[in-house]
Amino acid sequence: EQGRKAYIKILKDMQSAKLLKIKESVSLFSAKNETAPKKRIDLMNAGLTEMIRMLESMTDGLSFGTGGKVDLEICCFQASDLLSMSASFVDSLLQKKAMGLELQAANGELNADPALLRRVLVNLLSNAIKFSARQSSIKLESSFKDNRFHCAVSDNGPGISE
């Protein structure tokens, strides 16, 4: 058991270190190169940050038997940024199926963990793309009602049978 924990810690440290070096390089490139497409670099940074957190979460669960435990990183951010970043993550999937995405983002601030919310939205969008016909369209929309944030993904796929 002790050997397994040591192995998992080494694996976690090695992979996290590699991803952190890539993330630092992307950030450094962004700072030095003002002509680089900022949206693309921000997307890479967000993806790397999410990969690092996912790796840490998985290895922590394996090491200590605490599967499902996630440390939240709460901050204030714009709901429209969450939706546009989530849409960017699935852009290549949309292109492969020649699909469109209608985005209707509400204006407003959220105080939550943006990486975890983005992961949920990307998962929902990926499922909508996967089960929708080629050249169809999906919709990602959000609203604020009664001081709560609401988000919906809709498509024309087969749906879930009852």
Side-chain angles (χ1 to χ4, degrees):
E1 179 64 24
Q2 196 171 19
R4 183 177 74 88
K5 285 183 181 180
Y7 173 75
I8 290 170
K9 182 176 180 348
I10 291 168
L11 175 68
K12 175 184 173 181
D13 292 345
M14 285 174 34
Q15 295 305 315
S16 291
K18 287 178 188 175
L19 290 171
L20 283 170
K21 282 183 183 179
I22 294 169
K23 187 176 183 324
E24 289 169 5
S25 297
V26 168
S27 296
L28 185 62
F29 176 75
S30 175
K32 288 185 176 182
N33 189 352
E34 293 179 15
T35 61
K38 180 144 178 51
K39 183 178 178 182
R40 194 51 114 182
I41 290 172
D42 289 345
L43 184 61
M44 289 169 53
N45 257 328
L48 287 166
T49 300
E50 193 164 328
M51 288 173 62
I52 291 166
R53 287 184 63 200
M54 202 176 336
L55 176 68
E56 289 172 348
S57 179
M58 288 183 340
T59 54
D60 286 346
L62 289 173
S63 297
F64 308 109
T66 60
K69 178 185 175 228
V70 176
D71 293 324
L72 298 176
E73 294 183 21
I74 306 294
C75 66
C76 191
F77 58 94
Q78 292 295 317
S80 58
D81 291 343
L82 170 70
L83 269 65
S84 61
M85 185 69 81
S86 300
S88 296
F89 270 58
V90 298
D91 192 50
S92 62
L93 296 175
L94 288 165
Q95 289 178 14
K96 284 180 187 175
K97 290 186 75 175
M99 293 178 67
L101 173 64
E102 182 183 340
L103 188 63
Q104 293 181 352
N107 290 323
E109 288 187 343
L110 295 171
N111 193 28
D113 186 322
L116 290 179
L117 286 177
R118 186 174 51 249
R119 189 182 309 170
V120 169
L121 291 179
V122 168
N123 187 24
L124 291 171
L125 288 167
S126 298
N127 286 341
I129 295 166
K130 180 178 179 180
F131 294 106
S132 292
R134 284 187 57 74
Q135 299 181 335
S136 62
S137 185
I138 59 175
K139 185 177 187 180
L140 173 60
E141 58 187 324
S142 67
S143 62
F144 286 92
K145 185 177 178 184
D146 299 327
N147 245 3
R148 292 183 183 247
F149 177 69
H150 298 268
C151 197
V153 175
S154 15
D155 61 54
N156 294 315
I160 301 171
S161 61
E162 300 219 10

